[in-house]
């Protein structure tokens, strides 16, 4: 693991309350490095377009600076690393999206971030059909050497990770909280298994951040952004899955959809995507050709 002391200013930068990647980029454009922002005077931060008084207060907050050493200590004990936009391990695919995260907290295998990734997503309230389809696609795509990416949610996401593990393949879970808070808690053992089998858990949220509802749409842009292709299995009409699809379309990704039973609520969203031009697939080979 890299010496986290070298990244202490990046860790501090990630802890600034309500900063976000857009404002973070504005600051980095002006100051180039988090270290320079850390030592900046209040006067230097004023009059930067997009950086308001409240954010300046958060940047100057002494308590945030005091938290850094505790974070480093916890990260070292827990084998958590931070990959920044400056690091060679940072996923190339993510660099190409509009709202790319400036850093990623990671536990597990960094090498797979730049391998051939396919995201598999779907709804939490799955059917037996959805479970079977997800395991089939995930297992076989992982056997073909693809890294399976999903969001560690219950339902389709969980089966996507499990299928890859059963195939002795690799999988990446992108979460909407700090790495010390696995959500839902029923997936703590699955998260541990992902790490044990050479996969990774990643997030843009620092230690201690809870899985707030507003974190998940932002998390979804990473799920689609890190992959070349997105496979959708079961999505209701008003589904969070469709937010990820919107990000994927905006990012220019290929969208593949498994068709569903027209009588099922879980298929309304997926069948609609097919009508709109997403590629219908019934065989895993169709996702990689």
């Amino acid at each position: 693991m890299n010496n986290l002391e070298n990244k202490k200013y990046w860790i501090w930068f990630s802890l600034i309350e309500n900063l976000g990647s857009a404002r973070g980029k504005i600051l980095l454009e002006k100051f180039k490095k988090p270290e320079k922002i850390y030592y900046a005077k209040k006067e230097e931060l004023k009059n930067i377009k997009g950086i308001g008084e409240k954010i300046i207060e958060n940047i100057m907050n002494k308590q945030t600076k005091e938290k850094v050493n505790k974070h480093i200590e916890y990260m070292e004990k827990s084998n958590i690393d931070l990959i920044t936009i400056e690091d060679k391990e940072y996923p190339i695919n993510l660099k190409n999206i509009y709202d790319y995260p400036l850093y990623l907290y990671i536990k597990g295998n960094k090498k797979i971030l730049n391998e051939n990734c396919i995201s598999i997503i779907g709804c939490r309230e799955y059917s037996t059909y959805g479970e079977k389809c997800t395991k089939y696609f995930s297992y076989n795509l992982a056997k073909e050497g693809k890294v399976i990416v999903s969001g560690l949610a219950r339902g389709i996401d969980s089966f996507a990770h499990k299928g890859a593990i059963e195939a002795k393949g690799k999988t990446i879970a992108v979460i909407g909280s700090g790495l010390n808070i696995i959500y839902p808690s029923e997936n703590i053992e699955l998260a541990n298994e992902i790490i044990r089998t050479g996969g990774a858990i990643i997030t843009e949220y620092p230690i201690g951040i809870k899985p707030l509802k507003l974190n998940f749409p932002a998390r979804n842009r990473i799920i689609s952004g890190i992959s070349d292709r997105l496979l959708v299995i079961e999505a209701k009409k008003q589904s969070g899955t469709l937010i990820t699809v919107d990000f994927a379309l905006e990012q220019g990704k290929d969208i593949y959809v498994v068709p569903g039973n027209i009588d099922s609520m879980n298929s309304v969203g997926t069948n609609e995507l097919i009508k709109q031009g997403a590629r219908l697939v019934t065989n895993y080979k169709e996702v990689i050709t």
Side-chain angles (χ1 to χ4, degrees), residues 74 107 151-154 158 161-162 165 173 175 177-196 201 211:
Y74 181 87
K107 195 166 182 176
L152 202 67
R154 66 172 60 94
S158 296
H161 297 304
K162 286 172 184 175
I165 290 166
I175 65 172
S177 57
L179 284 171
N180 62 324
I181 306 171
I182 298 298
Y183 176 83
S185 57
E186 69 201 55
N187 276 347
I188 289 171
E189 184 44 43
L190 176 57
N192 291 336
E193 207 174 341
I194 288 169
I195 304 297
R196 275 199 302 272
I201 316 247

Side-chain angles (χ1 to χ4, degrees), residues 257-274:
V257 179
V258 176
N261 185 334
I262 62 169
D263 285 339
S264 169
M265 281 172 60
N266 283 4
S267 302
V268 177
T270 40
N271 291 345
E272 193 57 41
L273 288 172
I274 293 165

Side-chain angles (χ1 to χ4, degrees), residues 196-211:
R196 275 199 302 272
T197 54
I201 316 247
I202 63 172
T203 181
E204 66 181 322
Y205 299 106
I207 306 306
I209 297 296
K210 291 175 181 171

